[in-house]
Amino acid sequence: EDQVTQSPEALRLQEGESSSLNCSYTVSGLRGLFWYRQDPGKGPEFLFTLYSAGEEKEKERLKATLTKKESFLHITAPKPEDSATYLCAVRLFSGGYNKLIFGAGTRLAVHP
Amino acid sequence: DTGVSQDPRHKITKRGQNVTFRCDPISEHNRLYWYRQTLGQGPEFLTYFQNEAQLEKSRLLSDRFSAERPKGSFSTLEIQRTEQGDSAMYLCASSRQPGKPGQGTHEQYFGPGTRLTVT
């Protein structure tokens, strides 16, 4: 069964304390891995797409990496405004369309 | 550049009533998706449209749920005879079909969601 697991479920950091979020997946026919940020009461906001093992993407304090079985979202020197839920999703090739399977997310809280 | 919009943002209804939600995708996007998200979980896929054609429906989508996308523009999601278990955030997303196989973007852009509460 296709599955996406994120860890930890919740993470509390002090401002400036770097850390990493994990997304592991067991899927067939992977056609891309996506990271989203979601603030309370809002829809997910697209961050990154990764397509192949070894690929890396960066945006401000965030860096996403991909291996054959997992992805990491590295947060360098986080600020309180980075507090949010970070969602990982994998795109499956099923009937030629763009189906995303999401993990449950990691709730990140950054305290000053 | 306007993003995906959804209406209403919040809906409170009594069990057994019908509700309808609307989604307006990004104008140049021909693919449209509906997801449902409950507290503490990631979004779960419900259904997908390419232009006006509904190409896939999840097993989660019972017979009480129906979605349409007339003329390939906005979409509506209707829930008939609502149940308390239908309480969730209903999210709409859109994406652009790549011009050639293996090219282009597959990113889905989400709207703000419609929060449904069934009492």
Side-chain angles (χ1 to χ4, degrees):
Chain A
E1 181 182 354
D2 299 319
Q3 194 168 6
V4 178
T5 303
Q6 292 190 246
S7 62
E9 291 185 8
L11 181 63
R12 178 190 172 109
L13 299 175
Q14 289 298 121
E15 184 172 3
E17 179 186 2
S18 301
S19 187
S20 296
L21 313 182
N22 177 265
C23 170
S24 62
Y25 57 91
T26 53
V27 299
S28 57
L30 178 70
R31 291 295 184 271
L33 185 140
F34 301 79
W35 282 98
Y36 287 84
R37 167 189 171 131
Q38 187 172 29
D39 292 301
K42 296 187 177 181
E45 175 189 348
F46 171 75
L47 293 174
F48 303 111
T49 308
L50 302 166
Y51 285 104
S52 55
E55 190 175 357
E56 299 181 351
K57 293 277 182 70
E58 286 189 67
K59 179 181 179 180
E60 296 181 353
R61 295 177 292 282
L62 300 177
K63 178 180 178 181
T65 61
L66 180 66
T67 71
K68 289 185 177 180
K69 291 296 183 183
E70 59 190 349
S71 176
F72 292 93
L73 184 65
H74 307 278
I75 303 177
T76 302
K79 298 181 178 181
E81 54 261 43
D82 295 322
S83 297
T85 295
Y86 290 86
L87 295 165
C88 163
V90 296
R91 173 179 172 249
L92 303 182
F93 185 75
S94 175
Y97 74 92
N98 199 7
K99 177 179 180 179
L100 293 184
I101 305 294
F102 280 86
T106 294
R107 296 187 309 278
L108 173 66
V110 182
H111 297 268
Chain B
D1 179 28
T2 57
V4 178
S5 61
Q6 293 187 245
D7 183 71
R9 295 293 308 279
H10 304 274
K11 179 71 176 178
I12 300 174
T13 191
K14 293 184 177 179
R15 186 176 51 146
Q17 297 295 305
N18 299 344
V19 294
T20 300
F21 310 141
R22 176 180 171 125
C23 170
D24 287 90
I26 293 171
S27 58
E28 64 267 29
H29 287 184
N30 66 336
R31 294 179 169 180
L32 187 147
Y33 314 81
W34 284 98
Y35 291 84
R36 179 170 66 188
Q37 186 177 25
T38 54
L39 197 62
Q41 300 298 315
E44 293 178 293
F45 171 81
L46 293 179
T47 190
Y48 155 73
F49 290 86
Q50 181 161 306
N51 300 311
E52 66 277 6
Q54 187 174 19
L55 298 185
E56 186 71 17
K57 291 173 61 174
S58 166
R59 291 189 298 272
L60 295 174
L61 215 63
S62 76
D63 292 343
R64 296 184 298 105
F65 288 71
S66 63
E68 294 182 342
R69 193 183 182 197
K71 302 179 182 178
S73 56
F74 71 92
S75 176
T76 58
L77 177 68
E78 180 183 17
I79 308 175
Q80 296 181 330
R81 305 180 304 282
T82 52
E83 302 172 356
Q84 287 188 323
D86 297 331
S87 295
M89 174 79 88
Y90 289 84
L91 293 162
C92 175
S94 69
S95 70
R96 178 173 59 85
Q97 182 176 3
K100 296 180 180 180
Q103 293 185 357
T105 177
H106 297 283
E107 293 91 8
Q108 296 183 19
Y109 294 88
F110 284 81
T114 294
R115 169 76 64 190
L116 173 65
T117 302
V118 181
T119 61

